[in-house]
């Protein structure tokens, strides 16, 4: 078992983490061109490539195995990111005010920005969620919310790093924690077990948006009553992004769990046993 000191070293004070620096044009994935072509490639592969031809040559058992490993990896990675962010905040935050409002001109260096960078790369890795849906011939699960979220959240994470954006540690910690629950749900599906707590996952996802707006209000108070907070302009994108996702998730919740949703649904062909149908995530 790792002790507290071991965790502090491996998740906070390891030289790679402690000395991390986001340098535009030098750090992998830090250029606008990388961001643009990454998102473009995702959208192209989602809508243009002949998926049915590809999926027909792959056995369902192979997709099931890959899906299980994919979900295990992202579950563990989400847990490590949440813990790394929490410990980095605990050991490096000079005071509580700093967690809510980075001072102006904060440089994107050190443990917290290392975990923001890993989080950014993890969102690119999550593109594989879409690929697995396509390969399983479960195209009905490829909703606008799913594709919109995957293609846009990468921009949010890029802005975090590019602007040293205030409040990202709170968003990173809560989102990574929610993803532990979410990927546990997906893993159960991949193993052939259909959990009964699908609604809980969606409710927790919606709750994180409401909490984000509350904390944002506190940050704006500090920003306008003090010397300002780092990366506030980036929050203009985030606010619009969170608001759009909140509306889409509430609509998804209403359609999936509304009192009349089951009565009005027509019979549909059952989805693959290793995928839980009609679920999305943030």
């Amino acid at each position: 078992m790792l002790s507290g000191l071991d965790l502090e070293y491996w998740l906070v004070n390891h030289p790679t983490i402690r000395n991390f620096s986001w340098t535009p044009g030098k750090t992998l994935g830090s250029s606008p061109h990388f961001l643009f072509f990454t998102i473009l490639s995702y959208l192209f592969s989602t809508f243009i490539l002949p998926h049915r031809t590809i999926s027909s040559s792959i056995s369902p058992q192979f997709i099931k195995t890959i899906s299980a490993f994919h979900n295990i990896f992202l579950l563990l990675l989400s847990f490590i990111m949440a813990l790394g962010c929490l410990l980095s905040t605990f050991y490096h935050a000079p005071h509580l005010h700093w967690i809510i409002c980075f001072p102006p001109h904060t440089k994107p260096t050190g443990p917290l920005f290392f975990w923001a960078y890993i989080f950014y790369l993890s969102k690119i890795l999550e593109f594989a969620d879409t690929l697995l849906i396509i390969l399983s011939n479960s195209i009905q699960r490829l909703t606008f919310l799913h594709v919109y979220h995957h293609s846009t959240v990468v921009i949010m994470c890029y802005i975090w790093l590019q602007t040293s954006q205030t409040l990202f540690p709170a968003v990173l910690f809560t989102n990574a924690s929610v993803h532990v629950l979410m990927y546990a749900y997906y893993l159960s599906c991949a193993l052939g077990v259909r959990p009964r707590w699908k609604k809980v996952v969606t409710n927790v996802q919606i709750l994180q948006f409401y909490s984000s707006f509350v904390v944002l209000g506190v940050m704006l108070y500090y920003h306008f009553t003090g010397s300002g907070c780092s990366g506030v302009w980036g929050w203009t994108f985030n606010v619009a992004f969170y608001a759009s996702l909140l509306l889409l998730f509430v609509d998804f919740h209403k359609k999936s769990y509304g009192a009349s949703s089951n009565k009005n649904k027509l019979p549909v062909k059952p989805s693959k046993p290793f995928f839980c149908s009609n679920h999305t995530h943030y």
Side-chain angles (χ1 to χ4, degrees):
M1 295 290 291
L2 290 175
S3 65
L5 291 176
D6 290 333
L7 284 174
E8 181 185 352
Y9 175 76
W10 288 110
L11 297 179
V12 182
N13 288 325
H14 188 279
T16 301
I17 299 175
R18 188 179 65 247
N19 300 326
F20 172 80
S21 178
W22 170 266
T23 306
K26 293 184 178 180
T27 306
L28 176 65
S30 63
S31 71
H33 296 90
F34 175 89
L35 180 67
F36 174 77
F37 285 110
T38 297
I39 296 173
L40 186 64
S41 298
Y42 169 71
L43 295 175
F44 178 82
S45 60
T46 300
F47 294 111
I48 305 299
L49 293 181
H51 301 302
R52 292 190 179 278
T53 303
I54 297 173
S55 61
S56 61
S57 61
I58 302 176
S59 71
Q61 185 59 43
F62 178 75
I63 299 175
K64 177 180 178 180
T65 302
I66 294 299
S67 178
F69 279 108
H70 172 73
N71 289 308
I72 289 173
F73 179 79
L74 285 174
L75 188 158
L76 294 175
L77 180 61
S78 298
F79 176 78
I80 292 170
M81 288 189 296
L83 184 59
C85 179
L86 181 65
L87 292 177
S88 296
T89 302
F90 178 79
Y91 286 112
H92 285 269
H95 44 72
L96 183 62
H97 179 279
W98 183 87
I99 299 173
I100 303 297
C101 179
F102 290 166
H105 312 299
T106 295
K107 294 183 178 180
T109 61
L112 270 177
F113 286 94
F114 170 83
W115 291 113
Y117 179 61
I118 298 301
F119 192 79
Y120 166 56
L121 297 180
S122 76
K123 296 306 171 187
I124 298 174
L125 179 61
E126 286 181 4
F127 287 171
D129 292 346
T130 304
L131 177 62
L132 288 169
I133 290 175
I134 293 168
L135 294 179
S136 69
N137 282 327
S138 301
I139 305 299
Q140 71 276 8
R141 296 180 60 238
L142 208 58
T143 62
F144 172 78
L145 172 55
H146 177 97
V147 177
Y148 172 73
H149 153 255
H150 276 287
S151 57
T152 312
V153 71
V154 182
I155 302 175
M156 180 194 76
C157 297
Y158 180 86
I159 292 175
W160 285 2
L161 292 155
Q162 195 72 8
T163 66
S164 298
Q165 189 171 290
T166 289
L167 268 186
F168 84 74
V171 178
L172 194 162
F173 174 75
T174 55
N175 189 254
S177 299
V178 169
H179 275 59
V180 172
L181 177 65
M182 184 196 74
Y183 280 109
Y185 173 87
Y186 282 150
L187 177 60
S188 297
C189 295
L191 297 176
V193 179
R194 293 191 176 275
R196 297 183 178 180
W197 35 277
K198 169 185 172 182
K199 186 176 180 180
V200 174
V201 179
T202 306
N203 287 341
V204 171
Q205 290 168 324
I206 292 174
L207 180 62
Q208 71 178 313
F209 294 119
Y210 286 120
S211 64
S212 294
F213 284 113
V214 171
V215 180
L216 173 62
V218 177
M219 183 273 286
L220 290 176
Y221 171 79
Y222 282 128
H223 177 70
F224 289 110
T225 60
S227 58
C229 302
S230 176
V232 166
W233 75 264
W235 273 101
T236 58
F237 173 86
N238 282 24
V239 168
F241 179 51
Y242 293 158
S244 63
L245 282 179
L246 177 58
L247 290 174
L248 289 169
F249 265 98
V250 169
D251 180 66
F252 170 82
H253 189 282
K254 185 184 301 183
K255 291 177 179 178
S256 298
Y257 312 113
S260 61
S261 61
N262 292 327
K263 295 179 182 179
N264 297 330
K265 284 183 179 179
L266 295 174
V268 296
K269 181 180 178 180
S271 61
K272 298 289 183 181
F274 47 95
F275 284 105
C276 293
S277 61
N278 299 324
H279 193 74
T280 189
H281 75 274
Y282 167 66

